[in-house]
Structure formats: structure tokens, C-alpha cells
Amino acid sequence: MANQMTEMLKGTLEGIVLAILAKQPAYGYEITALLRERGFSDLVEGTVYALLVRVEQRGFVDVEKVPSEKGPPRKVFSINGQGREQLDEFWRTWSFLAERIEQLHEGEK
């Protein structure tokens, strides 16, 4: 099941991270910790950092460097207008797919 979960997560992680950032700005480790608290225990920290680089390059987030007590400044990510549009599209797509999948699942019973 872990392999299937990993594959499905790849396609949805961007939307999940944008949803987290829609609630509050956060830095990479903080996002990883929030996801792990919500049951994504196998999530590798590097996966989140790579995704944050992509959403930054795509213009979905704003980044602020904030001093850290330990080491270099942290990059704190916050969703911007373009990111909110992307998140809205993610939720529309998610709802569409979830409805169809549920119909298929119900049809098996």
C-alpha cells in the first residue's frame, strides 16, 4: 500500500501544501511536521523542499527570509493570489475526481 500511497500523493501534494499555506505561512520543516501529524508519516522532508522550490518558481507563493535561532535564516512561504487560484483549481479537480471515484466504488457493492 505504501507504494500506491506514494504515487497518489505525488499528484496531490502541491494542492495539500498550498492548502496548508492558505491557513498560515510556514517554512519547509514546519510543513513536513504538519503533514506527519496528519498521518503522512512516510513523507520525506526533501520531497516537501523540492515541491516548495517548484511552487516558488511557478509564482504560487511569496517567500520571506526570517532569522533562525539555529543556523541560517528560514525561508517562510505564504500563498499569494496566483497560488490561491491554483488551490481553487485543485479543489475543483479534487471534488470532480472524488465524486467519480466514489461512484465507481459504490457501483462495486
Side-chain angles (χ1 to χ4, degrees), residues 6-67:
T6 300
E7 290 302 312
M8 293 179 105
L9 192 56
K10 282 181 186 177
T12 58
L13 191 57
E14 179 179 295
I16 293 167
V17 168
L18 289 175
I20 289 171
L21 294 176
K23 294 188 184 307
Q24 66 184 38
Y27 56 94
Y29 180 78
E30 190 174 22
I31 293 167
T32 303
L34 286 167
L35 289 168
R36 287 180 178 159
E37 286 173 13
R38 288 175 171 82
F40 297 99
S41 56
D42 293 337
L43 187 65
V44 178
E45 200 171 322
T47 302
V48 173
Y49 285 109
L51 182 131
L52 288 169
V53 169
R54 283 196 308 275
V55 296
E56 181 181 4
Q57 289 173 342
R58 294 177 69 194
F60 298 154
V61 295
D62 294 326
V63 180
E64 179 183 356
K65 288 193 176 183
V66 176

